[in-house]
Amino acid sequence: MSDDIYPVPETWAKTARIDAATYAKDYARSLSDPTGYWLEQAQRLDWMTAPTLADESDFTEEKFAVRWFADGVLNVSANCLDRHLEARGDQVAIIWEPDAPTASPRHITYRELHAEVCKFANALKAKGVRKGDRVTLYLPMIPEAAVAMLACTRIGAVHSIVFGGFSPDALAGRITDCDSRIVITADEGCRGGKSVALKTNVDAAAKLSSSVETIIVIKATGADVPMTEGRDFWYGDLIAEADADCAPEPMNAEDPLFILYTSGSTGKPKGVLHSTGGYLLWASLTHELVFDYRDGDVYWCAADVGWVTGHTYIVYGPLANGATTLMYEGVPNWPSPSRIWQVVDRHKVNQLYTAPTALRALMKEGDSYVTATDRSSLRLLGTVGEPINPEAWRWYHQVVGEGRCPIVDTWWQTETGGQMITPLPGATALKPGSATFPFFGVEPKLVDAEGKVLEGAAEGNLVITRSWPGQMRTVWGDHDRFFQTYFSTYPGTYFTGDGCRRDADGYYWITGRVDDVINVSGHRMGTAEVESALVLHKTVAEAAVVGFPHDIKGQGIYAYVTLNSGETPSDELRKSLVAWVRQEIGPIATPDAIQFTPGLPKTRSGKIMRRILRKIAEGDISSLGDTSTLADPSVVDDLVANRVGKP
Ligand code: WTA
């Protein structure tokens, strides 16, 4: 942790929308007069019926509800498209940068995007999609992904995007969970020069999930893919015959907008459900204030639409604000570690938003890949997804931003819909590694293990004590799980699952997950999910998975595996298990280390003592703590002796 302070540059203090005094005043008002504050903010959206109600949420078990603007009516696609047509119909809405640097970018204006969305919305209707139906999207980073999302919102269908790196099994699970009858995909994806067999994966998933009736396929690479008569349709054919006139469906502010599956500490991934009004307001307001987005800026969030960051900060926030948003098909370091900066130069990007893991990987390659590029268009830099180590922060600030650009280190979650603890560039003096202060309306607190609120400088578990408009509304199909997961640990508050320190100046420093979620390269992975995949393998009797510190990924996946009797540990088997997990979940779940062990450390009641497993994986064997409560303390010696990667 670091204690240097980077004051707000003078030009920013003068020109930014929110300076330090405004932040203090508006933040206080957002808590003391939430109804007044939020009904005022809600006016930035285009409502068919303006809301007169704001927050009606209650975090207690008896009256549990998360509800905002419940008498308001609006449509998301109308807010992201129609209302911009008059003033900025010919402005570019989406700049698309393809994977291959030699291929041509695409520029899509608001008018063009509007027409395409209306046509595709009509095509979906013609395929029987109705308000409230779930539509699964399994797509590469191409503009049609945004078209498909917006087309769903236009007719009130609920999209569920599954990241293209998930396996057919994982995809099938998500299709089945929300019972979607239609899947939108592409022939292939293309990332870092490698193709991803999306349509083939959807075909495999459709065999596992009986609900799929229709598959719409976008021609992205032109690869030859099998099409099943009567079930599979080309996107291009449907668009060609569709009408460009499609009235936006009036939606209640609380109607569901999208489902996004994310990992938790237990069980299978949950379908996080966001609703229409509060989410869009949160996306739009945070996008404008945190990035200080101005008319004419070119803004780039280098995430994937398969994750929440892509939903909120590639598509909904920027388009609601009439911004020009850059969408990049590829990866930051292909074909060279200069690529990300070359894209910045090519499109004169003003705000760049990326993940610490990408920065660490690029930093490792040396400064010359950065300094060989111009980057003078950059005005602001952002990070998200995991704690940023001060060394990477300073490199981003000094080498990438040449000391000129404020860095917004934004803490938030799939569940929160948008940024929650974050600097505002004209208001906040920065400390490298700290997400600094809460956004308007966000009331964070730190509690100890018993739930006692900690005041002043302290370290504890991070909770949020009142609702905010962008908060998730439920876990799809399991409202009780929603309550139990987030509101039962520290009654009356939303528990984030993160640990956090607050320093003497009131700055928040997120220290990482305190539950059984691992953050691998900024992506959430539940240890339970990887364990379930491992035990499905015919040789495996039992598995326990923990995270350990990893230079580039932030955290890596460390698996302890006990084999069935008669099976012999070998490097070959280790490789098969890694391949197996990739097949069951997807490459993002690839274990970094597998340690075979004759037994796991369990208490006499059979509970695995993960604390010990974490310590051993971290290589911190000097402080294993009390092991006397273990049923068989001798397992620990074996675990320590056979640690993978031990010096
Ligand atoms: C972590 C991504 C530290 C945190 C938007 C959180 C962060 C989880 C930060 C959510 C940050 C996200 N500093 N940690 N700036 N941003 N996290 O749902 O542990 O994929 O709980 O949402 O990422 O991950 P998710």
Side-chain angles (χ1 to χ4, degrees):
M1 306 229 171
S2 116
D3 274 310
D4 12 334
I5 288 225
Y6 292 66
V8 177
E10 229 168 87
T11 45
W12 277 85
K14 279 202 210 102
T15 57
R17 287 193 178 78
I18 309 279
D19 62 14
T22 318
Y23 170 71
K25 185 168 102 309
D26 288 4
Y27 179 71
R29 166 147 188 251
S30 72
L31 298 189
S32 65
D33 173 24
T35 306
Y37 179 83
W38 285 114
L39 287 180
E40 229 170 87
Q41 296 305 322
Q43 291 171 19
R44 65 186 291 116
L45 299 183
D46 208 9
W47 298 86
M48 295 163 173
T49 307
T52 64
L53 301 167
D55 185 15
E56 295 180 280
S57 312
D58 194 315
F59 288 174
T60 64
E61 187 158 15
E62 304 73 49
K63 291 189 267 172
F64 181 61
V66 180
R67 190 164 57 231
W68 283 84
F69 311 119
D71 59 349
V73 178
L74 76 168
N75 178 280
V76 166
S77 81
N79 272 278
C80 291
L81 301 168
D82 305 50
R83 68 163 165 161
H84 304 313
L85 293 183
E86 202 179 302
R88 55 175 102 238
D90 297 321
Q91 181 199 305
V92 173
I94 298 177
I95 300 175
W96 180 67
E97 169 73 19
D99 187 52
T102 47
S104 299
R106 283 168 65 186
H107 294 83
I108 300 160
T109 66
Y110 273 95
R111 204 178 310 288
E112 290 163 342
L113 187 60
H114 175 261
E116 182 100 350
V117 166
C118 288
K119 285 184 193 168
F120 194 48
N122 279 326
L124 290 175
K125 275 196 208 166
K127 288 279 164 258
V129 180
R130 298 285 170 261
K131 180 172 175 171
D133 287 356
R134 277 78 56 210
V135 176
T136 297
L137 274 52
Y138 185 67
L139 288 166
M141 283 287 291
I142 53 177
E144 288 77 6
V147 172
M149 293 164 79
L150 290 164
C152 287
T153 73
R154 193 150 194 98
I155 62 176
V158 180
H159 62 67
S160 163
I161 307 189
V162 179
F163 175 61
F166 280 115
S167 68
D169 266 67
L171 172 62
R174 286 155 171 82
I175 292 172
T176 305
D177 186 79
C178 69
D179 194 23
S180 55
R181 284 179 291 124
I182 181 158
V183 180
I184 303 169
T185 189
D187 45 7
E188 281 182 335
C190 200
R191 277 182 101 221
K194 294 191 198 106
S195 58
V196 189
L198 296 174
K199 173 63 164 66
T200 311
N201 286 354
V202 173
D203 287 343
K207 286 209 180 84
L208 301 167
S209 178
S210 55
S211 64
V212 179
E213 293 165 11
T214 305
I215 299 172
I216 299 179
V217 188
I218 297 156
K219 214 171 241 168
T221 65
D224 193 18
V225 291
M227 297 289 278
T228 301
E229 182 78 36
R231 185 196 68 177
D232 301 352
F233 302 89
W234 288 108
Y235 172 91
D237 294 347
L238 301 181
I239 288 282
E241 55 202 36
D243 190 350
D245 198 10
C246 176
E249 184 75 31
M251 302 295 286
N252 183 274
E254 279 301 312
D255 280 338
L257 176 63
F258 66 80
I259 299 168
L260 182 57
Y261 286 87
T262 192
S263 298
S265 19
T266 54
K268 56 185 173 92
K270 0 176 221 299
V272 167
L273 184 90
H274 280 287
S275 67
T276 303
Y279 170 82
L280 192 66
L281 177 61
W282 197 253
S284 152
L285 185 66
T286 51
H287 172 262
E288 182 175 291
L289 299 185
V290 172
F291 299 116
D292 191 54
Y293 185 84
R294 308 274 172 154
D295 265 354
D297 283 349
V298 174
Y299 155 88
W300 180 18
C301 164
D304 189 289
V305 290
W307 308 112
V308 74
T309 306
H311 283 62
T312 307
Y313 296 112
I314 295 176
V315 179
Y316 291 120
L319 296 181
N321 292 338
T324 297
T325 180
L326 191 147
M327 192 176 198
Y328 173 44
E329 189 179 31
V331 294
N333 56 358
W334 186 85
S336 94
S338 279
R339 181 65 189 280
I340 184 169
W341 321 120
Q342 288 162 351
V343 175
V344 165
D345 286 349
R346 185 179 208 177
H347 301 290
K348 303 275 174 293
V349 169
N350 302 114
Q351 293 98 345
L352 172 69
Y353 194 33
T354 188
T357 185
L359 296 173
R360 286 190 298 264
L362 294 167
M363 184 168 81
K364 192 181 73 162
E365 304 292 337
D367 298 357
S368 63
Y369 290 103
V370 187
T371 53
T373 61
D374 178 50
R375 287 160 290 110
S376 59
S377 59
L378 287 174
R379 222 172 67 227
L380 175 139
L381 301 168
T383 71
V384 58
E386 42 170 331
I388 181 163
N389 45 314
E391 192 194 357
W393 194 102
R394 286 196 199 92
W395 183 80
Y396 202 23
H397 189 259
Q398 280 313 319
V399 180
V400 175
E402 296 170 348
R404 161 183 92 240
C405 307
I407 293 185
V408 290
D409 169 2
T410 63
W411 173 84
W412 59 292
Q413 311 178 295
T414 305
E415 293 88 339
T416 70
Q419 297 149 344
M420 297 287 281
I421 299 183
T422 173
L424 295 178
T428 317
L430 307 170
K431 295 192 188 186
S434 168
T436 74
F437 299 115
F439 191 76
F440 302 116
V442 174
E443 193 173 37
K445 291 221 160 91
L446 303 182
V447 297
D448 67 12
E450 280 70 50
K452 187 166 100 37
V453 174
L454 308 169
E455 306 289 349
E459 182 160 349
N461 296 327
L462 179 66
V463 300
I464 313 286
T465 59
R466 61 167 86 195
S467 186
W468 61 97
Q471 186 170 24
M472 71 182 282
R473 298 304 196 255
T474 192
V475 170
W476 179 260
D478 199 346
H479 199 55
D480 186 52
R481 187 171 176 202
F482 178 46
F483 179 83
Q484 293 305 333
T485 306
Y486 302 103
F487 303 91
S488 67
T489 318
Y490 302 112
T493 71
Y494 166 81
F495 176 41
T496 61
D498 278 313
C500 182
R501 181 173 76 91
R502 188 174 47 222
D503 70 18
D505 301 325
Y507 281 69
Y508 287 84
W509 304 74
I510 308 294
T511 52
R513 303 288 304 197
V514 293
D515 54 10
D516 291 320
V517 171
I518 324 181
N519 195 327
V520 189
S521 303
H523 301 316
R524 273 163 72 163
M525 192 41 62
T527 51
E529 274 171 80
V530 186
E531 288 163 7
S532 328
L534 283 167
V535 296
L536 282 177
H537 194 270
K538 61 179 191 306
T539 62
V540 176
E542 206 172 15
V545 167
V546 296
F548 72 103
H550 187 287
D551 283 352
I552 303 290
K553 299 180 184 183
Q555 277 190 299
I557 298 177
Y558 195 112
Y560 297 88
V561 170
T562 306
L563 296 174
N564 286 320
S565 59
E567 301 290 347
T568 328
S570 68
D571 276 344
E572 213 164 302
L573 180 54
R574 198 176 264 131
K575 282 192 199 122
S576 323
L577 291 177
V578 169
W580 174 261
V581 174
R582 289 172 65 95
Q583 181 198 313
E584 287 291 308
I585 305 176
I588 58 164
T590 309
D592 297 278
I594 292 185
Q595 175 172 356
F596 294 113
T597 169
L600 292 167
K602 290 186 188 165
T603 60
R604 279 179 210 103
S605 59
K607 200 169 148 11
I608 295 175
M609 287 186 79
R610 290 173 177 278
R611 176 178 57 79
I612 293 176
L613 294 176
R614 267 187 226 117
K615 291 269 184 204
I616 295 172
E618 283 166 16
D620 182 11
I621 49 171
S622 59
S623 57
L624 291 180
D626 183 12
T627 55
S628 63
T629 57
L630 289 175
D632 176 9
S634 73
V635 256
V636 173
D637 298 333
D638 180 84
L639 285 167
V640 170
N642 294 302
R643 193 170 82 79
V644 176
K646 81 176 173 315

